[in-house]
Amino acid sequence: MTDCWFTEMHEHDAKFSIQVTEHLYSEKSPYQQIEVYDSKTFGRFLTLDGFMMLTEKDEFIYHDMISHVAMAVNPDIKRILIIGGGDGGTAREVLRYDTVEKVDLVEIDERVVRVCQKYLPQTACKLDSDPRLRLYFEDGLHFVQEMPNQSYDLILVDSTDPIGPGEGLFSYAFYQHCKRILSEDGILINQHESPYYPKDAYEMRRSHSKLKATFPIAMVYQFHMPTYPSGHWLFGFASKKYDPIKDLQADRWNGLGLYTHYYNTDLHKGAFMLPTYVKEGLNNA
Ligand code: SAM
């Protein structure tokens, strides 16, 4: 074993490290620094600009929770837009539904897709093998601006943090276009940062206040991500029509017989039950 470690600063005085068994790939793309490492405990992992994106060991948690919550509220979803998500994990999960007719994936950085296809087939496995999926290499903000009204039933914003190329995906203009291009019963799920460390909690509040101002229903749900700062992460659920708890179609979803290693319809309801400090943070947004 080498004595090489990947380290991410989670706070100025708190850091998270993984011992690297092999540094598999390194590239500076036009948008970001892309690295792929291997490790004993977490398997292969992808970082962008030094921030952890996914590990083979725990990616199922993030990809289950970004995908299946909305699908269990409306199992009739047919047209899906993924923004970001170049590793392919979110596409892999939504393409498990036979009822889904089309998935457009808009990733700003083609190099992320190509690197993941080579080094992370566990997540990228469906990126070139399902005819329902179409890849677009462009800025997600620009893509939604150009789209006609009501083009999608579900939008999944699987983005990096609101610094660098991901910044526009946390803007008010972006959320307004998402609302416009969603069907009348459309759902938006977005990477909603973390409630714990102050800079993440600040972004959580900013994102929530914009979503609340845009959609009649804007809620937040949580999941546990061992390799993200604090291990406590959130997605936003915004909709024109559906309440994610009252409208959960548990029997229909369970009847599909999809095995999910993290998500289940009991956890679905529990995920929206937030700790007091998180509720307070969101109420003050
Ligand atoms: N699970 C991850 C996380 O939250 O850490 C996100 C993974 S995915 C790799 C994030 C992707 O969003 C990156 O590949 C990045 O290139 C892409 N991205 C960032 N800004 C974007 C934009 N404006 N439009 C489209 N894709 C964008």
Side-chain angles (χ1 to χ4, degrees), residues 12-279:
H12 66 281
D13 57 354
K15 59 188 181 183
F16 173 79
S17 295
I18 299 177
Q19 189 166 25
V20 170
T21 51
E22 197 177 349
H23 190 170
L24 293 165
Y25 191 75
S26 180
E27 173 184 343
K28 176 119 187 79
S29 80
Y31 298 98
Q32 53 216 339
Q33 183 69 39
I34 304 172
E35 312 280 351
V36 183
Y37 303 92
D38 204 353
S39 70
K40 196 158 165 262
T41 296
F42 289 100
R44 292 186 175 189
F45 59 98
L46 169 75
T47 68
L48 295 178
D49 287 339
F51 296 108
M52 176 61 78
M53 291 293 120
L54 67 95
T55 81
E56 285 182 322
K57 181 78 176 167
D58 66 0
E59 58 87 7
F60 71 98
I61 302 173
Y62 182 97
H63 294 123
D64 269 16
M65 291 302 277
I66 196 172
S67 308
H68 301 301
V69 170
M71 294 303 297
V73 170
N74 179 13
D76 294 316
I77 283 168
K78 291 184 173 48
R79 303 165 303 163
I80 300 178
L81 172 63
I82 299 171
I83 298 197
D87 55 79
T90 301
R92 179 195 67 198
E93 286 307 307
V94 294
L95 287 165
R96 295 175 68 194
Y97 294 83
D98 293 338
T99 44
V100 167
E101 290 173 359
K102 83 163 183 174
V103 178
D104 290 340
L105 189 152
V106 182
E107 164 60 62
I108 202 168
D109 192 346
E110 179 172 1
R111 292 305 304 151
V112 173
V113 169
R114 303 303 169 214
V115 169
C116 291
Q117 284 176 318
K118 182 152 186 214
Y119 293 100
L120 288 159
Q122 177 176 313
T123 51
C125 51
K126 287 282 158 45
L127 290 178
D128 55 8
S129 66
D130 192 310
R132 295 172 294 168
L133 178 75
R134 189 157 169 202
L135 297 176
Y136 296 82
F137 296 114
E138 62 176 270
D139 183 348
L141 177 56
H142 179 253
F143 187 89
V144 297
Q145 279 164 350
E146 303 293 310
M147 256 305 126
N149 293 351
Q150 305 208 15
S151 298
Y152 297 99
D153 308 311
L154 173 63
I155 301 176
L156 301 171
V157 188
D158 186 0
S159 65
T160 43
D161 295 337
I163 38 167
E167 201 173 340
L169 305 182
F170 288 79
S171 66
Y172 192 50
F174 174 72
Y175 294 140
Q176 294 217 307
H177 280 293
C178 286
K179 185 179 178 201
R180 182 183 60 74
I181 69 171
L182 277 171
S183 50
E184 280 311 313
D185 62 352
I187 298 172
L188 170 76
I189 305 289
N190 71 310
Q191 198 274 92
H192 210 297
E193 300 292 311
S194 165
Y196 193 73
Y197 289 121
K199 67 176 184 337
D200 299 326
Y202 172 74
E203 298 300 348
M204 169 198 82
R205 289 193 298 276
R206 279 211 318 160
S207 181
H208 188 60
S209 68
K210 290 174 196 165
L211 282 164
K212 263 201 313 197
T214 309
F215 285 87
I217 295 160
M219 292 166 72
V220 167
Y221 61 99
Q222 61 184 350
F223 57 104
H224 308 99
M225 207 54 206
T227 52
Y228 285 1
S230 84
H232 186 183
W233 217 260
L234 305 171
F235 282 122
F237 180 109
S239 168
K240 300 181 187 178
K241 176 173 163 186
Y242 292 119
D243 178 296
I245 301 171
K246 290 191 201 120
D247 294 316
L248 168 64
Q249 299 208 40
D251 292 344
R252 257 189 89 188
W253 191 83
N254 287 313
L256 296 174
L258 292 177
Y259 173 74
T260 44
H261 199 39
Y262 189 84
Y263 176 79
N264 60 60
T265 49
D266 293 332
L267 178 134
H268 178 117
K269 290 173 246 167
F272 286 89
M273 306 298 147
L274 302 172
T276 307
Y277 84 95
V278 182
K279 281 190 187 179

